[in-house]
Amino acid sequence: MKRLFALCLLALSLALAQPREMRLFIWSEYMDPAIIKAFEQKFNLRVRIDLYESNEDMLAKLQAGGVSQYDVIVPGDYIIPTLIQLKLIQPLDKSKIPNLKNLDPKFANPPFDPGNRYSAAYQWGMSGIMYRKDRVPTPTSWGVILGPGADKPFVLMDSIREMLGAALRFQGKSINTRNPAEVRAAGQVLLSAKKNPRFLGFEGGVGAKNRLVAGTATYAVVYNGDALKAADENKNVGFVVPREGAALFLDNMAIPARASNPEAAHQFINFILDAKIGAQLSNYNRYATPNKAALPFINPADRKNPAIYPDAATMQKLEFVLDLGKDTRLYDEVWTAVKSR
């Protein structure tokens, strides 16, 4: 009996000694492994990471059972109202996230989640054109990809709102238009681009980056951080926001409604919002930080880089992607037609 009791105590002690687990669902190449290691060591837990390449992929996975499989997700701005409406994410316990105070005020009360009830800002950036400087001059318009005269190999972004947004801006329309005729016309622009023999396909940012670095593509629609990483690998890679404008994004951290470890999830969000950790994240990702307390620790060269922190003139050309409620169905229909034809 004593032996059995001792064995039970040993099993219990071993179980307690095992590190807890937190599961993170995040965009690919969007997290510094050193940050994960530091978090694991500080809180004595193991972080498991799964990856996605679009907000829509992430949403589909949550609806297919992922809402109970993950503890932290990193959704884009426009998808958050949908996550809230579908009850796929839970309100944050702000008492467990004291570092929320570090957010820049302009990111602390976003229109898609007033008062940060469900989310906390992670990184922000923009879409645009990545190009090979050794092959072509700096592009000024979406026309080098979306126009009838596009004559160099190009990749389109596999993201519904950014890509339809590019086509809309190319036609002088808002990324957030609710006009069916304008959205369908943007779809026709993308269908015409698909028919161009120089079209290489739809890719996530990492895939597009690799194609440009390898030289198989001359142009690609990407997020600025992917372009800057590509430039680190090949000095002939450049990035520009076309004169017509592009999408501005704010990615955020949120906790799925049935997360198995919400305690660790809150600890993780608070950890990322630490000033020095926030700076480390942006220095790694090459995206702008929404963390005002982190700015003094950002690499000086990045802080001055307009491809990361755009000037006022560029900011005026950028447009936040907003949730369109029931009109989202129109974009879904047009995008499905573009991808399937």
Side-chain angles (χ1 to χ4, degrees):
M1 190 70 179
K2 288 182 178 180
R3 186 182 179 193
L4 179 60
F5 182 68
L7 287 173
C8 289
L9 282 178
L10 177 62
L12 178 62
S13 63
L14 287 173
L16 291 173
Q18 292 297 316
R20 296 171 299 140
E21 182 175 276
M22 191 204 81
R23 294 195 62 177
L24 173 65
F25 198 27
I26 191 170
W27 303 79
S28 60
E29 296 192 8
Y30 208 25
M31 172 56 69
D32 183 354
I35 291 177
I36 295 297
K37 185 176 181 180
F39 178 74
E40 289 178 327
Q41 291 176 342
K42 181 173 182 178
F43 293 98
N44 187 33
L45 52 68
R46 181 184 297 109
V47 176
R48 291 180 58 188
I49 300 176
D50 285 346
L51 305 174
Y52 55 86
E53 296 293 344
S54 74
N55 283 304
E56 289 69 34
D57 288 344
M58 178 268 298
L59 174 61
K61 184 66 178 286
L62 291 184
Q63 290 179 304
V67 70
S68 60
Q69 296 175 12
Y70 299 107
D71 301 302
V72 177
I73 58 174
V74 186
D77 37 29
Y78 71 86
I79 206 77
I80 287 181
T82 299
L83 295 174
I84 295 171
Q85 182 181 6
L86 295 175
K87 299 182 179 179
L88 293 173
I89 55 178
Q90 61 180 269
L92 300 177
D93 183 346
K94 294 183 183 179
S95 69
K96 297 179 180 179
I97 314 175
N99 284 333
L100 274 170
K101 68 180 186 300
N102 288 339
L103 285 179
D104 189 303
K106 64 187 175 187
F107 298 112
N109 190 36
F112 54 84
D113 180 21
N116 289 119
R117 188 179 175 204
Y118 290 88
S119 65
Y122 181 76
Q123 301 270 261
W124 68 273
M126 67 205 96
S127 58
I129 298 175
M130 179 168 59
Y131 64 100
R132 285 291 297 251
K133 296 189 289 186
D134 55 334
R135 296 180 180 177
V136 292
T138 302
T140 59
S141 168
W142 286 112
V144 298
I145 292 175
L146 302 180
D151 60 357
K152 297 288 190 274
F154 65 91
V155 174
L156 298 183
M157 183 185 287
D158 194 9
S159 181
I160 174 174
R161 293 296 302 277
E162 280 81 5
M163 206 61 253
L164 278 170
L168 284 163
R169 292 302 297 236
F170 181 50
Q171 295 188 306
K173 309 302 180 183
S174 168
I175 283 173
N176 300 301
T177 181
R178 296 173 182 267
N179 185 315
E182 293 177 355
V183 179
R184 293 191 181 102
Q188 288 301 314
V189 168
L190 297 183
L191 281 171
S192 295
K194 277 188 67 177
K195 295 176 182 177
N196 189 318
R198 298 292 188 174
F199 171 64
L200 299 179
F202 292 94
E203 292 272 10
V206 176
K209 171 180 74 70
N210 293 340
R211 287 205 182 204
L212 226 82
V213 169
T216 55
T218 300
Y219 298 113
V221 183
V222 298
Y223 298 116
N224 57 317
D226 291 318
L228 289 161
K229 289 177 184 174
D232 287 340
E233 298 176 37
N234 188 319
K235 62 181 178 60
N236 291 312
V237 172
F239 174 82
V240 67
V241 175
R243 63 171 180 260
E244 298 94 349
L248 182 68
F249 73 83
L250 175 64
D251 284 335
N252 310 267
M253 296 172 285
I255 303 175
R258 295 201 295 274
S260 62
N261 197 344
E263 177 189 0
H266 283 90
Q267 290 170 335
F268 182 78
I269 293 173
N270 192 61
F271 189 75
I272 295 297
L273 292 177
D274 174 82
K276 290 187 177 179
I277 295 297
Q280 182 180 342
L281 179 68
S282 280
N283 290 337
Y284 173 84
N285 280 332
R286 312 298 299 283
Y287 285 109
T289 180
N291 189 330
K292 189 174 182 179
L295 289 173
F297 306 105
I298 296 294
N299 289 333
D302 283 357
R303 190 71 183 88
K304 297 175 183 177
N305 190 337
I308 304 176
Y309 295 90
D311 58 25
T314 303
M315 287 297 291
Q316 289 182 350
K317 297 190 294 183
L318 297 169
E319 194 175 0
F320 267 120
V321 178
L322 303 178
D323 172 55
L324 299 176
K326 60 181 179 61
D327 292 313
T328 299
R329 285 179 295 184
L330 171 63
Y331 282 76
D332 290 340
E333 290 168 5
V334 172
W335 183 247
T336 299
V338 168
K339 294 292 294 290
S340 62
R341 286 164 62 181

